[in-house]
Amino acid sequence: MSTEIRTFMIPDASADEAQGHLSSFLRTVEVQRIDTAYADGGWRILVLYKDLKRKEESLQIEAAINAALNGWRDRRAAGEGLPRDAILADELVPEIARFAPTTERELSIIVGARDLDVSHYGGEIVQVVRATLDELID
């Protein structure tokens, strides 16, 4: 989720209405920084923010992928008689959910930074991620 910028003008002549718009906006975002300056009969306000709706959507997507990966991991582990951590390390599940790789190449970049190998199940892992994303989009 990237930081976005929006500017507001609160003129001296109609400050109440402009302040109402600014207040409404500020309730819907996560403010990173606000800069103000007074010039030409009004306040200029620069707001650096993160969109809370997008943040909430991202968290929901991560949670769905996390749950899907854990379900797949449990089924796979039971079928092979292995602990689920042997199928996919616990620490990788949230990492994979956060980045949502849809190709084995993307997955290898994410897990490669941790010197862990998921090549044996890589195709299945990205398929679980893809299927979860498809379900959320439909």
Side-chain angles (χ1 to χ4, degrees), residues 81-94:
L82 295 170
R84 70 186 210 159
D85 202 41
I87 302 296
L88 180 62
D90 288 338
E91 72 224 33
L92 282 180
V93 174

Side-chain angles (χ1 to χ4, degrees), residues 11 13 29 64 80 87 97 105-106 111-113 115 123 126 136:
V29 298
E80 294 188 23
I87 302 296
R105 175 78 180 123
E106 290 172 353
V111 300
D115 288 330
V126 296
L136 294 171

Side-chain angles (χ1 to χ4, degrees), residues 10-26:
I10 300 182
D12 291 340
S14 60
D16 288 345
E17 183 180 346
Q19 285 176 338
H21 289 299
L22 175 60
S23 293
S24 294
F25 172 76
L26 292 176

Side-chain angles (χ1 to χ4, degrees), residues 6 8 10 18-34 45-50 52:
R6 184 155 173 200
F8 292 87
I10 300 182
Q19 285 176 338
H21 289 299
L22 175 60
S23 293
S24 294
F25 172 76
L26 292 176
R27 283 192 293 274
T28 65
V29 298
E30 180 181 317
V31 175
Q32 304 296 302
R33 187 170 125 199
I34 296 179
I45 296 144
L46 175 75
V47 181
L48 277 70
Y49 67 96
K50 292 186 178 182
L52 290 177

